[in-house]
Structure formats: C-alpha cells, structure tokens
Amino acid sequence: MISSSLNLHQITGGVVPEVAARAQIESIIPVIQEALKIAGFDPSHVNGQLAHSMRSQGSNVPAIDAIAVTAEPGLVTSLLVGTETAKWLGYLWNKPVIKVNHIRGHVYANWLERDPKKDPIQFPIVCLSVSGGHNELILLKNHQEWEIIGESQDDAAGEAFDKVARILGLGYPGGPIIEQQAKLFTQMFMNMESNKIVRFPRAWLNQNDSNKWDGTSFNFSFSGLKSEVIREVDRRKSMSDTDRSEIAYAFQDAVCDVLVTKLVGAVKKFQAKEIHIAGGVSANKFFRMKLDESSKSLGLKIRWPEKMVYCTDNAAMIGAAANFAIRSGTGAASEA
Ligand code: KG4
Ligand code: ZN
C-alpha cells in the first residue's frame, strides 16, 4: 500500500521537504487504515477516540508483533511524520516500535519475493544500494555484521540521473526517463559505430592516472559527470531530440560502467556468494543487463527486486528489515 506525492514533486522538478511532509501528514492515517484492511484487520484500530477506548479495555489490537518505521537518514520533516505516528500506534496497541535505517531497508527488499525454504539467501553478500539519496556498497557477513566498503563522495547515482534529466529538459524523476531515452537511442542507432557516439569520462577515483579502474577505491563520484553533461549540452548549442537521447545513453552508460565495475570488483575481492542490487536505480534494465553480462563468469546468484515497487521507496522493505532485526536480536536495541 503506497501513497505517492510524486505528482506534487513533478510540479517543482524535485522534492520540496515541507510540501512532502504536509502531503504525508494528510495521507499517513488513511494509508495505515487501508493496509490494515488488506491484512484482514479492523481499520478502526487507528480511529483516535475508538482506539483509545480499546486501549483502556486492553483488547482488540491488531495481531502484529511490532511496528517498523524509517528513522534515518532522510528529510527530517518526513521522518518525523513517520516516527511520531509509529510511536502513537505503539502506545495505542502496546507494541514495540522498531526504528529502521532507510538504506538497511532497501537492502532487505531482496528478501521479500522468494520462498525462503526453496531459495535461501547465502552470506557473505555484496550489495550495492543505490538511489536518489544514497549510494553504498555493503559487505554483509550475516544479519548483524555489515561493512560499508564504498560510498558516494558527492551525488548519489539516482540524484545524478535526476539532475541530468533536468539539464536535458526531460522531467522528473530522471531515472526512468533517461532509461527510456537511452533505449530509444539504441533502437534508432543500433548499427552506429561506437566512436561516433559521445563518451563521458568515468570517475574511477584511482590512485594512478589510468583510464581503467585500478581496484583501489570502491567509492563513487558522479558530480563531475553531471558537469561534463552540461559542457556537452553547451557545446552542441541547439539540442535536437536525438542529441538528448544520445546524451542520455552516454550518461547512463558511464554511470552503469562505474557501478558494475566496482560491484563486481568487490564481489571478487570479498569472495561473496551472492550479488545484490537495491534502491531506485536498481530498477534500471540497462544496469541489470550490464551486471548480468559482467558477472556471468563468476556463476553467482544475482538478486534484484523483481517488482519495480520494491526497488523504489516502500514500506514492505522496512518491515522485512525490522523482522530480521528482531530475529537476530538487534531489534531490541533500536526500539523507540
Ligand atoms: O530509492 P528511491 O525511491 O528513493 C531514495 O531513497 O532516494 O530512489 C529514487 C531514485 C531517483 O533518483 C530516481 O531517478 C531513481 O531512483 N530511479 C532510477 C530508475 N528508477 C528510479 N534511476 C535509474 N533508472 C531507473 N529506471
Ligand atoms: Zn530510498
């Protein structure tokens, strides 16, 4: 059950924190009521007066173990709407509230769509969680021991997609639009020689001057790429639709090249048994195809959320993360 304020953000070409939080205040209770209905519970459990009198009778609360809520990182105003609502429900229903880190939540999206008996997940895992707000390469040794082995030094990849789409006048959010434009370009110019297509530099963050990744840094930087796109647009002066889709293609190629190279490099270095990708950018089919191609020879299990709705922000992944936090004993420490 998702209520999206995307149409509001499309007007402003990005998220205005106060606008987002106000929309969340209006929709959070109806969304919880709808979710309770879908799960077969009585939606009046969140009806203020009634829920209060139920509490005093100590009966009739939904049969759930805990309430999970995103606590960090993110826009403070939006986080507050969620955490305050969760605390209120925790009080009404006398249930623990489990605070979940948003990035941890994205990682657990890969636990949602499988039969755990037939398809168990095997540690160690290297997961690239990449969205509009974060870009982290994580080594998961088990449910408790996580190590950040690389992260963005400036813009996250999704943020770069959004900014480049804005530079090209393509709309918001940028990821799906850039992906679509890039696909159009490949379909139209299937036989074009690659040296006729603009190529953007990759920020490998190497210790030496090599054009290839030297394996030293697992960090990411995409703000220079965005500046290169601006320079290329300025160079062309008048931009046709073909120019726009060519630049979209070359930009997506550069981002995915860096993401895939470092992800596969990390998988080899840390001898992972599985490769995971998560977050909004993991919805990108070109990224998935490149990852598939580059890691085939390793013969490892690759996971990404099958349903697009589990790539971008959703509550199910937060619930999954809380479930494992409770089971592995780390949940109690993060109870609100
Ligand atoms: O995970 P998410 O919903 O929110 C954050 O935690 O930031 O990710 C949203 C981001 C946006 O920047 C959006 O442009 C990007 O994910 N995104 C994509 C695609 N779909 C969404 N980026 C590349 N290709 C896509 N298909
Ligand atoms: Zn997210």
Side-chain angles (χ1 to χ4, degrees):
M1 180 69 216
I2 291 182
S3 165
S4 172
S5 47
L6 184 62
N7 55 347
L8 296 176
H9 309 322
Q10 275 165 340
I11 299 168
T12 46
V15 179
V16 176
E18 271 62 38
V19 172
R22 227 172 283 150
Q24 278 152 7
I25 289 173
E26 280 168 19
S27 57
I28 195 159
I29 299 297
V31 165
I32 293 169
Q33 286 177 321
E34 201 54 40
L36 284 174
K37 255 196 254 171
I38 293 168
F41 298 124
D42 181 355
S44 64
H45 284 308
V46 277
N47 173 339
Q49 283 296 321
L50 186 61
H52 248 291
S53 65
M54 283 174 178
R55 183 180 195 277
S56 52
Q57 289 158 17
S59 64
N60 209 15
V61 295
I64 56 165
D65 296 324
I67 296 151
V69 63
T70 307
E72 46 143 15
L75 300 171
V76 167
T77 40
S78 295
L79 293 174
L80 267 176
V81 176
T83 48
E84 289 307 307
T85 308
K87 279 194 230 166
W88 173 68
L89 288 179
Y91 162 77
L92 276 182
W93 300 342
N94 201 20
K95 303 282 179 191
V97 175
I98 310 293
K99 289 190 195 171
V100 175
N101 174 290
H102 183 69
I103 301 165
R104 233 184 143 85
H106 272 299
V107 172
Y108 277 102
N110 280 310
W111 263 259
L112 288 170
E113 300 164 285
R114 49 178 199 112
D115 178 342
K117 288 206 182 80
K118 289 195 194 132
D119 184 17
I121 290 182
Q122 293 196 51
F123 293 100
I125 299 160
V126 167
C127 177
L128 178 69
S129 185
V130 56
S131 75
H134 70 272
N135 206 145
E136 297 201 347
L137 194 53
I138 309 164
L139 172 66
L140 288 83
K141 294 178 189 158
N142 49 51
H143 285 295
Q144 293 93 354
E145 287 174 274
W146 292 32
E147 198 183 310
I148 308 283
I149 50 183
E151 61 194 338
S152 177
Q153 305 293 290
D154 39 57
D155 295 355
E159 193 180 348
F161 269 94
D162 295 336
K163 285 180 177 167
V164 166
R166 194 181 309 160
I167 294 162
L168 297 175
L170 293 173
Y172 178 86
I177 309 172
I178 298 254
E179 179 177 5
Q180 188 198 14
Q181 288 295 318
K183 192 172 167 195
L184 271 177
F185 182 76
T186 6
Q187 283 166 347
M188 278 190 302
F189 298 98
M190 232 166 5
N191 301 321
M192 194 165 177
E193 290 161 45
S194 59
N195 61 5
K196 299 230 166 80
I197 304 168
V198 63
R199 182 183 163 87
F200 291 120
R202 277 69 167 144
W204 296 119
L205 308 178
N206 282 340
Q207 275 173 10
N208 59 35
D209 261 352
S210 163
N211 278 338
K212 285 189 174 157
W213 183 51
D214 67 3
T216 51
S217 172
F218 290 98
N219 289 330
F220 304 93
S221 167
F222 294 112
S223 72
L225 176 57
K226 180 195 64 195
S227 308
E228 282 298 325
V229 170
I230 295 173
R231 268 195 281 278
E232 183 63 27
V233 169
D234 287 348
R235 219 172 282 143
R236 295 195 185 202
K237 294 185 182 83
S238 75
M239 291 274 292
S240 66
D241 285 350
T242 312
D243 284 318
R244 267 186 277 276
S245 54
E246 179 189 349
I247 292 174
Y249 168 82
F251 163 78
Q252 178 178 263
D253 190 42
V255 172
C256 294
D257 192 8
V258 173
L259 294 180
V260 168
T261 303
K262 297 203 175 192
L263 176 52
V264 173
V267 166
K268 287 184 188 158
K269 178 169 176 183
F270 296 97
Q271 298 180 338
K273 291 208 176 113
E274 297 199 3
I275 311 172
H276 294 192
I277 56 172
V281 180
S282 72
N284 189 291
K285 298 256 172 40
F286 180 79
F287 175 31
R288 292 177 176 198
M289 185 190 77
K290 287 280 161 198
L291 177 61
D292 214 15
E293 274 173 17
S294 306
S295 59
K296 215 168 226 132
S297 63
L298 301 174
L300 300 180
K301 178 86 188 171
I302 308 178
R303 294 184 200 265
W304 47 62
E306 289 300 333
K307 289 192 189 139
M308 294 302 152
V309 76
Y310 293 141
C311 294
T312 45
D313 289 350
N314 65 88
M317 67 187 195
I318 303 298
N323 176 34
F324 284 100
I326 294 169
R327 289 212 224 163
S328 62
T330 51
S334 54
E335 276 181 32

